Amino acid sequence: MVVFHAVLPFVLAPLLAGLINKTKAVFAGRRGAPLLQPYYDLGKLLGKGAVYSATTTWIFRAGPLIGLAATVAACLVAPLGGRPGPLSFEGDVILFAYVLGLSRFFTVIAALDTGSSFEGMGASREVHFSTLVEPALWLGLAALVRITGQFSLHGVFSTLSPDVWTAHAPALALVATAFGIVFLAENARIPVDDPNTHLELTMIHEVMVLDHGGPDLALIEYASALRLWILGSLVVGPLLPQSGEGWEAVSFVAALAALAVATGVVESTLPRLRLLGVPKLLVGAGVMSSLALVLALV
Amino acid sequence: MPVLVNGILIALILVGLLILGASRMIRLVALQGALLSLMPLLITPHGLTWRVAALSLGSMILKGIVFPRLLFRAVKHAQVRRELQPYVGYSSSMVIGMATLAASFWLGGQLPLPGEAVSDLVLPAALFTILSGLFLVVARRKALTQVLGFLVLENGIFTFGVAVVGGIPFLIELGVLMDVFVAVFVMGIALQQINQAFEHIDADQMNSLKG
């Protein structure tokens, strides 16, 4: 059972991306790519060779590898359906947030390593926005830790019973909203970034991985699928009651799927924000998280 | 009732933070005022009376409908839709707002209230709204946004009054509302006058009047 829980995210993560794309296709009146398309893409990319520019160094090759490794590490501490992650320990909240930061750091310096001004621009935007996202994530986690008195993600989520919810409803609702925005921003989703666009003026995340190809791109795609899963579980976790029973894994995965569909709906109905409007949204998320922390401290 | 009151107070704080970060704030300030005017209905020591209902309705009409109308009219005449160059930027204003909020919570914990408060959040929320109003008056350049800052300040005082004292005497409350009404009226006219005389409502340039 433990193995099952540990393997589940790694198997199912790309499915979420497929689900989002399917939802968008349905909204647009298209048939859309099959649900399993992300898996086919990964397989296709892994079968290709990679081309490396002569200006790049080992950093460029290390970027996708470390990015994936860090994301896998984060995945191993993230709880699933009331069960602790395989490597869950007291204080893993901090590790969780830092490995996600590490993965982004290496994506950014790999982009800078190409020497392309275009990728440098993307890196600059990514770092700019993540300085605004991280306070929202950190302060939100701090508020949750303060409310529950637990220092591991599993402890936090399993303590959030309906009783705790009624006692701290405003703070928890604020954190959940802030995490929702963090989820959209970190996964380069509309309204912050458009994962499909290749329009140079507007894209953020996509521009940083333009020079990666073949297996490297596959690693990056897989890491971002995992990231979608992990941050999704951060949104879903506080909302579901979790006590560690078997069926909760099912409800957890179902909730993640619902979140993916909701993301698809958001992407189909909302316009992408202007680049100057994005910081406002992210600062707003940070403000909500810090308000939640202040409420939790009182 | 405390759940509802807490909800309103938190909505009040959130709208207050939004106001700090927004360049077009008339509607937001109106929303804040309308939210506030629900407070007397929820905090009534003697149950729902005509007095309380009238107070709530009066402040709802004034703050939610009359003030924004007056200000929108002034805006139309002055042809400024929004603040373009505030002294303190919008994002930094929000961050300062957060610091103010933390300070208000700290201060709220230090001040003992006479009698028992409806909710722990009342004092911090009121202090925050008052302080953010003051901040707006100082940190914005246009006369219009300064008027709005004044309104936010008044909202804070209203929160304080309603929630802490548990219903200020009716006459005093009416008097305050009247004062604010007249003030907004006068400021609306003053805005137009300034605009007619100088073709802008940039209060910063009045500094050059100092000898």
Side-chain angles (χ1 to χ4, degrees):
Chain A
M1 201 61 187
V2 174
V3 178
F4 174 68
H5 274 265
V7 170
L8 206 56
F10 297 105
V11 178
L12 288 184
L15 197 61
L16 289 184
L19 208 54
I20 293 179
N21 287 336
K22 197 75 178 173
T23 313
K24 286 167 78 175
V26 168
F27 255 83
R30 291 181 282 121
R31 209 200 249 120
L35 273 180
L36 297 181
Q37 188 63 40
Y39 295 95
Y40 302 144
D41 285 347
L42 286 176
K44 181 187 72 184
L45 287 171
L46 282 175
K48 289 187 175 180
V51 180
Y52 294 106
S53 143
T55 51
T56 58
T57 61
W58 62 272
I59 293 176
F60 182 74
R61 298 181 192 215
L65 274 177
I66 299 179
L68 179 61
T71 317
V72 168
C75 203
L76 287 178
V77 296
L80 193 159
R83 277 174 184 272
L87 291 185
S88 180
F89 60 94
E90 192 80 349
D92 62 9
V93 176
I94 294 172
L95 179 81
F96 176 80
Y98 265 114
V99 285
L100 285 181
L102 183 71
S103 120
R104 173 167 43 234
F105 176 73
F106 270 90
T107 316
V108 167
I109 62 167
L112 289 175
D113 194 41
T114 58
S116 134
S117 56
F118 190 29
E119 297 213 6
M121 206 170 66
S124 146
R125 285 176 184 166
E126 171 90 5
V127 173
H128 175 200
F129 291 154
S130 60
T131 48
L132 300 173
V133 168
E134 277 189 2
L137 180 65
W138 273 104
L139 293 170
L141 284 175
L144 288 182
V145 165
R146 168 73 193 186
I147 288 172
T148 56
Q150 302 284 331
F151 285 92
S152 68
L153 280 176
H154 167 65
V156 166
F157 288 167
S158 52
T159 316
L160 285 176
S161 60
D163 289 341
V164 180
W165 259 97
T166 42
H168 296 275
L172 290 174
L174 286 171
V175 172
T177 320
F179 279 179
I181 296 176
V182 168
F183 170 77
L184 291 177
E186 286 276 287
N187 290 306
R189 292 279 152 196
I190 290 174
V192 174
D193 188 8
D194 190 343
N196 292 329
T197 182
H198 281 88
L199 201 68
E200 53 186 271
L201 283 177
T202 50
M203 58 181 170
I204 301 163
H205 182 76
E206 207 60 26
V207 66
M208 291 195 302
V209 300
L210 273 183
D211 280 68
H212 292 280
D216 285 342
L217 190 59
L219 295 186
I220 290 171
E221 296 277 328
Y222 187 56
S224 61
L226 278 181
R227 182 178 273 254
L228 193 67
W229 176 284
I230 299 168
L231 288 164
S233 69
L234 207 58
V235 177
V236 169
L239 299 175
L240 282 183
Q242 298 173 2
S243 52
E245 287 160 35
W247 56 269
E248 282 178 355
V250 181
S251 68
F252 192 80
V253 173
L256 273 179
L259 182 69
V261 172
T263 311
V265 173
V266 166
E267 295 220 333
S268 315
T269 51
L270 280 188
R272 189 179 169 286
L273 284 176
R274 283 187 314 147
L275 210 56
L276 290 175
V278 173
K280 270 191 194 169
L281 177 76
L282 301 182
V283 169
V287 162
M288 282 193 266
S289 282
S290 32
L291 178 55
L293 180 62
V294 169
L295 289 174
L297 284 174
V298 170
Chain B
M1 284 306 175
V3 178
L4 269 179
V5 173
N6 275 344
I8 289 189
L9 287 171
I10 284 170
L12 195 71
I13 294 175
L14 280 180
V15 174
L17 287 166
L18 269 182
I19 291 174
L20 286 177
S23 56
R24 306 169 195 213
M25 5 191 280
I26 297 182
R27 286 205 179 83
L28 284 172
V29 175
L31 174 67
Q32 195 181 38
L35 273 175
L36 257 185
S37 51
L38 294 176
M39 290 278 287
L41 292 178
L42 298 173
I43 311 172
T44 47
H46 315 295
L48 196 59
T49 56
W50 281 109
R51 220 195 72 167
V52 174
L55 179 60
S56 177
L57 192 70
S59 90
M60 174 83 86
I61 289 175
L62 265 189
K63 288 181 177 164
I65 300 170
V66 178
F67 289 173
R69 288 232 167 154
L70 279 174
L71 290 170
F72 270 123
R73 243 183 48 162
V75 163
K76 220 164 110 188
H77 283 280
Q79 296 188 333
V80 269
R81 285 212 58 79
R82 55 211 196 122
E83 175 99 25
L84 284 174
Q85 293 166 308
Y87 293 121
V88 184
Y90 300 116
S91 295
S92 1
S93 292
M94 268 175 126
V95 173
I96 292 174
M98 277 323 296
T100 317
L101 185 62
S104 311
F105 269 93
W106 176 79
L107 200 60
Q110 302 293 309
L111 295 174
L113 287 179
E116 85 185 89
V118 197
S119 137
D120 294 342
L121 291 176
V122 169
L123 206 45
L127 285 171
F128 167 71
T129 315
I130 293 175
L131 290 174
S132 69
L134 276 177
F135 176 75
L136 281 175
V137 173
V138 178
R140 297 290 183 259
R141 194 183 289 262
K142 299 273 187 265
L144 173 75
T145 26
Q146 293 173 351
V147 173
L148 287 167
F150 172 75
L151 278 180
V152 172
L153 172 70
E154 201 280 329
N155 280 345
I157 298 172
F158 186 83
T159 322
F160 197 78
V162 168
V164 175
V165 190
I168 315 175
F170 189 42
L171 264 178
I172 298 180
E173 190 53 60
L174 265 188
V176 172
L177 268 179
M178 261 329 273
D179 277 355
V180 176
F181 175 64
V182 172
V184 171
F185 202 69
V186 170
M187 285 192 263
I189 295 169
L191 278 181
Q192 288 186 25
Q193 295 294 336
I194 297 175
N195 189 49
Q196 274 173 12
F198 301 109
E199 299 185 338
H200 61 77
I201 54 169
D202 194 338
D204 185 37
Q205 298 189 19
M206 287 192 174
N207 278 332
S208 61
L209 291 177
K210 285 191 293 193

